[in-house]
Amino acid sequence: MSDNRAHILDQALRLFAEKGYDAVGVQQVVEAAGLTKPTLYHYFGSKQGLFEALIEERSQPLHEAVRQAAEYSGDVTLTITRLARACFSFALAEPLFYRLLLSTWFAPPSSEYSAAVRRVQERQYRLIAAMFEQAAHDHGNMRGRHRRYAVSLRGMIDTYIALWLQGHLALDDETLLHEAVHQFMHGIFS
Amino acid sequence: MSDNRAHILDQALRLFAEKGYDAVGVQQVVEAAGLTKPTLYHYFGSKQGLFEALIEERSQPLHEAVRQAAEYSGDVTLTITRLARACFSFALAEPLFYRLLLSTWFAPPSSEYSAAVRRVQERQYRLIAAMFEQAAHDHGNMRGRHRRYAVSLRGMIDTYIALWLQGHLALDDETLLHEAVHQFMHGIFS
DNA sequence: ACACTTCTATACCGAACGGTATAGAATCGC
DNA sequence: GCGATTCTATACCGTTCGGTATAGAAGTGT
């Protein structure tokens, strides 16, 4: 019955996302899953191991989506739109997981467990930066700025998702998506 | 000797910013301050009270700086530059406090203690939104978008500060400041 | 039927958690 | 000097923390 493992991951995701890693005890997780601690420690070895397995496994669909969306096709606006849409879609499908990603990404760095999340973000950052570097071949004025562009695009995407998570806007809105991308491309004086 | 109160706040800020609220025990705080728990509970009543006092008191200089910078003077670019500079300056002066603000702002919402930080952010958001609303009187094409502009400007500022906190860029760089503002105003083509 | 590996529960470990009852200093108005 | 208030330390409360020793199920290959 190895779907006990999946149950533990499910409940751990929910609790970590709702209360934060340090505020959730191992006991709470196994109780929510209807199991006991030795089961959890059998599969994951430690609380940190549980968290890392959670991040590693559940982030793969996002990583794949970003990888596909970030393939530069000659049209910067289109690529950026695809990228933002990929992130928005994933956040809409897995709000708990995206909340966990965001909160850990901005959490204090000392915590050992957060390295897993930092790896995920770093991987995505590299994909986006590479896209801007390719795009700079077509648009000379972008040359040398691909790092800053990657950084600020990710920042914009995460800002919108964070605001959606707090109920300040609707993420499943194509108009909003295009306005956001348009602002990124052409500024607020459109 | 009521500067014991200040010592406790200092150490609480450092520990909360470095490890996170839930990962820091009351015992750790008073030990770092060279005191004992009853002293802390005399001044702050509870761990949550300590956190809220910390946020409320240490955020006032930031709030005042943002309030002044957000006074619209007829020049949008100048106002935004002043705003970003005010936030950057505060972050440079109080990196631990800004890190604490950011991490709590993106933390799971269930935690009672985080309401204090949400109040701070909400106050600043209103100042910035009001500035854009005034600016819309001069720039008709901005009308009705002041909320989105306020949101994305704050997002951009916090993104840059977060990246500085992680060592990815230098915040005390007037060129970077102007590039960031320029990108916000005119997009990445320009 | 049997050894063997995989999985799960009971019961427990020492340490740390947030918080407090009590009492002794220190400081103040007078 | 003296009562009253403010502040701080010793010692302790019950609970929860992450983690584990032990042993019993459950399934598998032979």
Side-chain angles (χ1 to χ4, degrees):
Chain A
M1 300 274 183
S2 178
D3 56 11
N4 280 345
R5 201 187 111 103
H7 287 153
I8 293 177
L9 281 176
D10 284 342
Q11 296 304 317
L13 169 57
R14 188 178 58 82
L15 289 165
F16 286 155
E18 285 173 358
K19 304 172 186 248
Y21 179 84
D22 289 304
V24 173
V26 175
Q27 184 81 15
Q28 268 180 71
V29 175
V30 293
E31 267 176 20
L35 299 167
T36 54
K37 285 202 274 182
T39 304
L40 188 151
Y41 280 90
H42 169 75
Y43 286 116
F44 304 105
S46 67
K47 186 185 180 185
Q48 185 179 330
L50 165 64
F51 182 84
E52 287 176 358
L54 179 62
I55 296 296
E56 208 57 48
E57 295 178 22
R58 301 290 234 265
S59 72
Q60 264 169 22
L62 171 62
H63 181 250
E64 189 54 29
V66 167
R67 202 187 56 72
Q68 285 185 18
E71 269 179 18
Y72 179 57
S73 58
D75 185 334
V76 183
T77 305
L78 179 65
T79 310
I80 289 179
T81 305
R82 274 210 322 255
L83 238 168
R85 182 158 33 218
C87 292
F88 287 6
S89 294
F90 182 83
L92 282 162
E94 300 280 355
L96 286 174
F97 184 74
Y98 213 100
R99 173 179 299 264
L100 183 58
L101 274 187
L102 273 183
S103 65
T104 315
W105 173 242
F106 284 99
S110 79
S111 33
E112 294 291 331
Y113 70 89
S114 65
V117 171
R118 231 168 304 275
R119 274 200 305 275
V120 170
Q121 301 280 12
E122 190 68 27
R123 252 182 279 166
Q124 292 186 22
Y125 165 76
R126 264 199 286 269
L127 289 173
I128 300 175
M131 183 271 285
F132 277 114
E133 206 166 7
Q134 279 198 357
H137 295 157
D138 301 353
H139 305 272
N141 57 335
M142 286 172 55
R143 198 160 299 139
R145 305 189 195 157
H146 57 279
R147 285 184 214 86
R148 224 186 70 227
Y149 289 164
V151 150
S152 54
L153 178 59
R154 261 233 76 92
M156 185 198 75
I157 291 173
D158 284 346
T159 298
Y160 273 85
I161 295 179
L163 283 156
W164 167 68
L165 285 169
Q166 301 189 11
H168 291 308
L169 50 83
L171 205 61
D172 56 346
D173 178 351
E174 277 288 314
T175 308
L176 177 91
L177 173 67
H178 286 106
E179 280 176 356
V181 171
H182 188 272
Q183 177 178 331
F184 183 78
M185 299 295 289
H186 303 103
I188 68 173
F189 287 153
S190 74
Chain B
M1 301 273 182
S2 178
D3 56 11
N4 278 345
R5 200 188 112 104
H7 287 152
I8 292 177
L9 282 177
D10 284 341
Q11 297 304 318
L13 169 57
R14 188 178 58 83
L15 288 165
F16 286 155
E18 284 173 358
K19 304 172 185 251
Y21 178 84
D22 290 305
V24 173
V26 174
Q27 185 79 18
Q28 269 182 71
V29 176
V30 294
E31 264 176 21
L35 299 166
T36 55
K37 285 202 275 182
T39 304
L40 188 152
Y41 279 90
H42 169 73
Y43 286 116
F44 304 105
S46 68
K47 187 186 180 185
Q48 184 179 329
L50 165 64
F51 183 84
E52 288 176 357
L54 179 62
I55 295 297
E56 209 58 48
E57 295 178 21
R58 300 290 233 265
S59 71
Q60 265 169 21
L62 171 62
H63 181 251
E64 187 55 29
V66 167
R67 202 186 57 73
Q68 284 184 17
E71 268 179 19
Y72 179 56
S73 59
D75 185 335
V76 183
T77 305
L78 178 65
T79 309
I80 289 179
T81 305
R82 274 208 323 253
L83 237 166
R85 184 163 23 223
C87 292
F88 287 6
S89 294
F90 182 83
L92 282 162
E94 301 280 355
L96 286 174
F97 185 74
Y98 214 100
R99 163 165 304 217
L100 183 58
L101 273 187
L102 273 183
S103 65
T104 314
W105 173 241
F106 284 98
S110 78
S111 32
E112 295 291 333
Y113 70 90
S114 65
V117 171
R118 232 171 302 277
R119 274 201 304 274
V120 170
Q121 301 280 13
E122 190 67 27
R123 253 182 277 166
Q124 292 185 23
Y125 165 75
R126 265 199 285 268
L127 289 174
I128 301 177
M131 182 271 285
F132 276 114
E133 206 166 7
Q134 279 198 357
H137 294 158
D138 301 353
H139 305 273
N141 58 335
M142 286 173 54
R143 199 160 299 139
R145 304 190 196 156
H146 57 278
R147 285 185 213 84
R148 225 186 69 227
Y149 289 164
V151 151
S152 55
L153 178 59
R154 262 233 74 92
M156 186 198 75
I157 291 174
D158 284 346
T159 297
Y160 274 86
I161 294 179
L163 284 156
W164 167 68
L165 285 169
Q166 300 189 12
H168 290 307
L169 50 83
L171 205 60
D172 56 346
D173 178 352
E174 277 289 314
T175 308
L176 178 92
L177 173 67
H178 286 107
E179 280 176 356
V181 171
H182 188 272
Q183 178 178 331
F184 184 78
M185 299 294 290
H186 304 102
I188 66 173
F189 286 153
S190 89

